[in-house]
Amino acid sequence: MTSLVSVQPFSVRFSPRKTLGLAILAGLVVFAFLPLVIGGADPLKQSLRLALQPPSSAAWFGYDHLGRSMAARLAAALRLSLGLALLSVVTAMVPGILLGVLAAWRGGFIDRAIGAVSESLLALPGLLLVLMLTAIVPDNPAMLYLGISLVLWIEYFRVTRALARPILQSPAVEASRLLGFGPVYILKRHVWPEIAAILLRLGAFGGASAIMAVAALGFVSVGVRPPTPELGLMMIELLPYYEEAPHALLQPIAVIFLMVLALQLLAAREKPGKERV
Amino acid sequence: MRMILNRLLQAVLVAFTVGLLTFIMIRLLPGDVAYRIAAGRYGYDVVDSAAAAKVAAELDLNKPAIQALGLWLYDLLRLDLGTSLVSGEPVWDELVMQLGHTLQLAVTAIFLSLLIGPPLGILAGLNRGGFLDRGLMLVSTALRALPQFVVGLGLIVIFGLMLNLLPTAGHTHGSHLILPAVTLALGLAAVSAQVARDAMVDVEQSQFYRFARTKGLPEGQVFTRHGLRNVAVPIVTYLGVQFIYLVEGVVVVESLFAWPGIGHALVHAIFGRDVPVIQGTALVMGLMFVALNAAVDGLCYIIDPRRRDA
């Protein structure tokens, strides 16, 4: 437990790894959202004349089997993945942290009750839970979002609780209390700085697993439905054409690889092999 | 003892969660549930209200929710999983067959991953900063950034379609097992190699390891007497975490390779809204996860005598 307390404060300078991760992520975000700003092809517009056309100077990414612009479809799929991942991470973060602090603060029954809920959710592998939720209300991205958030908040809860407990018992917090400061001040002044440092790591990890889950569900055709562009779905649609148009199949694969790699680089520990939480 | 109790509690929680979720599922099926199920069973053209009423009576669809939930969970408690809404076969019979296939796949994958990952990781850790270390780091980082189905797709394209060496789907003879098992094993090995590497680095820098060398023991003996057991603990512990990946992987990889196991059945059942099969398959996968974790607990207990006092 002692190693948990010695979390370094935010460092302004990023390591080369983090810089690389951030750069890739920024590139993907620009690629995804640029069409919204400068306008681009409609990701759903088909023109069979162009089917499976390889990349050219006019269309850098070529066309898929129905003659839809790959660039537009990749951008739309990226917006879906990144948006869903960001939304689930934020949705998981807020209650996760609040409940974690609450459990550490009050202890006793509340601690055990929330702990039991998180344990029971953790007993089921995450993808199974998401799968079952999507089965309850099919064809609905909201269920994907709900399921992923439901899996992700546990990590925040557990880490926050473990970090907050020793802090709340420390002499510094006791001194603040004796001086008459309220809970808001203690949270802001003592607890938040310690938690803030690991938020980025947990968020990046959560984002990566959210993206993987969405793609995996699309791939086994129980997630998002066609014709919505989604990376896993695009791969399974383009697989039959891999011989005629390997470029089309490779594009969504490259995109998901870059996205997950960027998030994992961001989430990587500075010194591998030490302080395993 | 505490550990066993904890795992048992976890198993009960899994069963309860699955039961509750599937119950909500059957209540929330869009449209008239009885009609939907009857349609799934007899085909959309021949459904009439008589068939729907029969289904409703059979599945307690007319009772109030709380009572129905009680009955639903009671059935689960008696291990009565009902019959498939689509095929009409008892879920239990189908599960037994599928579980065999899944276990075959999972066990082969775990075994393969242990054969690939930890030895490479230990070698890399012993030669820190060397060529193998850097190469392994690169490969395992790349593998971890690829979803399992992409790895599987790559293997299919390379070995199945381009080289024509291995069959890509089905399960009639042994060679069908290779590609799905390797797909799962590569993902698992990517993580266990890194864990093994970090553990080996930690152990090598420890005082007792250096002292064993100073004593003049040959390198091989230092490793087998002082290294192996210490490195094994984090690897085995981490296996528990990896089982999440394995269970999730089974769902995707079985669908990809048309392997007739539990994960494949689960995806099909979700596709066809076959709630009893969803319940059965999810239950078995959840319990498999708990059982594997219990096995890891036991293994750690054997390897690491320090835990026995705690």
Side-chain angles (χ1 to χ4, degrees):
Chain A
M1 279 300 128
T2 45
S3 69
L4 287 177
V5 185
S6 63
V7 177
Q8 293 121 9
F10 263 134
S11 57
V12 185
R13 290 182 49 203
F14 282 121
S15 66
R17 267 182 192 211
K18 286 216 166 101
T19 318
L20 182 64
L22 214 56
I24 299 176
L25 201 61
L28 288 171
V29 169
V30 169
F31 176 75
F33 288 94
L34 205 57
L36 292 188
V37 182
I38 59 167
D42 180 356
L44 299 183
K45 184 174 172 290
Q46 308 181 1
S47 68
L48 293 174
R49 196 161 49 79
L50 295 170
L52 295 177
Q53 289 257 312
S56 64
S57 57
W60 289 358
F61 293 86
Y63 292 88
D64 74 354
H65 57 294
L66 295 175
R68 296 174 291 196
S69 160
M70 280 300 284
R73 285 182 73 71
L74 284 176
L78 257 176
R79 286 198 294 273
L80 179 76
S81 277
L82 285 174
L84 205 58
L86 185 70
L87 202 63
S88 333
V89 166
V90 172
T91 318
M93 194 187 287
V94 175
I97 291 176
L98 287 180
L99 288 174
V101 171
L102 183 72
W105 196 304
R106 303 302 294 263
F109 175 72
I110 294 178
D111 187 15
R112 261 175 286 147
I114 308 175
V117 172
S118 75
E119 288 284 313
S120 66
L121 281 173
L122 208 64
L124 217 56
L127 193 70
L128 267 190
L129 195 69
V130 180
L131 258 179
M132 294 185 70
L133 283 174
T134 52
I136 291 182
V137 185
D139 302 351
N140 192 346
M143 286 322 267
L144 275 180
Y145 155 68
L146 185 70
I148 293 170
S149 312
L150 210 55
V151 176
L152 287 182
W153 76 272
I154 302 167
E155 192 68 21
Y156 283 101
F157 165 71
R158 289 161 65 101
V159 172
T160 311
R161 184 172 64 167
L163 282 176
R165 188 170 288 154
I167 298 171
L168 288 173
Q169 285 163 355
S170 67
V173 169
E174 200 171 333
S176 283
R177 272 195 198 142
L178 287 176
L179 285 171
F181 287 111
V184 176
Y185 176 85
I186 291 176
L187 283 185
K188 222 171 88 182
R189 186 75 198 171
H190 295 281
V191 180
W192 176 248
E194 298 282 344
I195 302 175
I198 54 152
L199 282 187
L200 180 69
R201 263 190 60 197
L202 278 186
F205 261 129
S209 42
I211 287 166
M212 294 264 219
V214 173
L217 292 181
F219 189 78
V220 294
S221 334
V222 290
V224 185
R225 297 288 154 134
T228 314
E230 196 280 323
L231 293 169
L233 203 59
M234 285 167 76
M235 285 180 221
I236 204 71
E237 283 172 355
L238 291 167
L239 180 61
Y241 307 99
Y242 96 97
E243 232 162 332
E244 298 98 301
H247 67 272
L249 178 59
L250 283 176
Q251 283 170 27
I253 293 180
V255 166
I256 201 165
F257 174 72
L258 284 176
M259 195 155 50
V260 176
L261 182 70
L263 288 172
Q264 281 181 350
L265 286 176
L266 276 179
R269 257 179 253 112
E270 291 303 313
K271 274 177 283 173
K274 297 288 165 197
E275 45 118 18
R276 204 170 283 126
V277 181
Chain B
M1 263 328 282
R2 254 191 81 90
M3 264 168 7
I4 301 172
L5 267 180
N6 267 339
R7 290 297 173 199
L8 273 179
L9 189 69
Q10 213 186 357
V12 173
L13 278 174
V14 165
F16 179 74
T17 315
V18 170
L20 189 66
L21 281 177
T22 42
F23 176 75
I24 298 173
M25 216 179 283
I26 206 159
R27 285 276 151 175
L28 284 184
L29 282 180
D32 187 301
V33 184
Y35 263 101
R36 284 282 295 221
I37 295 170
R41 212 182 271 180
Y42 309 116
Y44 276 94
D45 300 335
V46 291
V47 174
D48 52 13
S49 47
K54 199 171 136 241
V55 168
E58 190 185 330
L59 297 173
D60 300 320
L61 291 175
N62 303 320
K63 296 211 174 79
I66 284 292
Q67 202 184 346
L69 176 63
L71 280 174
W72 185 262
L73 291 177
Y74 179 62
D75 278 347
L76 190 62
L77 199 67
R78 289 185 298 134
L79 292 179
D80 176 4
L81 295 176
T83 54
S84 162
L85 300 182
V86 172
S87 69
E89 304 271 322
V91 175
W92 219 195
D93 296 353
E94 296 189 357
L95 277 181
V96 170
M97 207 172 67
Q98 291 153 355
L99 183 63
H101 291 299
T102 297
L103 282 182
Q104 191 188 5
L105 180 65
V107 169
T108 318
I110 295 175
F111 183 72
L112 267 179
S113 83
L114 287 179
L115 221 57
I116 306 170
L120 281 176
I122 288 172
L123 276 180
L126 282 173
N127 307 302
R128 196 148 54 100
F131 176 71
L132 180 68
D133 192 16
R134 282 151 194 272
L136 192 68
M137 184 77 180
L138 205 67
V139 172
S140 68
T141 307
L143 267 180
R144 276 174 19 164
L146 283 173
Q148 287 142 328
F149 55 87
V150 172
V151 177
L153 265 186
L155 290 176
I156 286 186
V157 168
I158 295 172
F159 290 101
L161 301 176
M162 278 156 79
L163 301 178
N164 252 327
L165 279 178
L166 294 166
T168 56
H171 71 296
T172 39
H173 45 90
S175 61
H176 283 119
L177 182 61
I178 299 176
L179 283 184
V182 169
T183 306
L184 282 174
L186 279 179
L188 292 170
V191 178
S192 64
Q194 271 186 354
V195 172
R197 184 247 172 217
D198 289 351
M200 191 64 234
V201 169
D202 277 357
V203 169
E204 206 199 2
Q205 287 174 340
S206 69
Q207 302 216 332
F208 64 84
Y209 205 79
R210 269 188 261 165
F211 179 67
R213 274 184 181 159
T214 318
K215 246 180 355 186
L217 286 181
E219 193 61 26
Q221 218 167 1
V222 177
F223 177 70
T224 46
R225 305 286 297 190
H226 298 275
L228 195 57
R229 209 177 248 247
N230 283 304
V231 174
V233 175
I235 296 176
V236 173
T237 314
Y238 221 82
L239 262 184
V241 181
Q242 285 188 284
F243 287 145
I244 297 183
Y245 180 89
L246 182 71
V247 169
E248 296 180 356
V250 159
V251 173
V252 175
V253 168
E254 281 183 357
S255 307
L256 176 61
F257 290 96
W259 186 259
I262 301 256
H264 189 61
L266 176 61
V267 169
H268 261 258
I270 287 180
F271 219 66
R273 298 290 116 65
D274 190 349
V275 179
V277 176
I278 295 179
Q279 183 185 35
T281 47
L283 186 70
V284 169
M285 293 197 75
L287 291 181
M288 192 170 93
F289 175 64
V290 176
L292 285 171
N293 269 314
V296 165
D297 286 350
L299 217 55
C300 280
Y301 186 84
I302 295 169
I303 298 176
D304 189 355
R306 284 170 298 187
R307 296 194 182 201
R308 286 173 218 176
D309 307 329

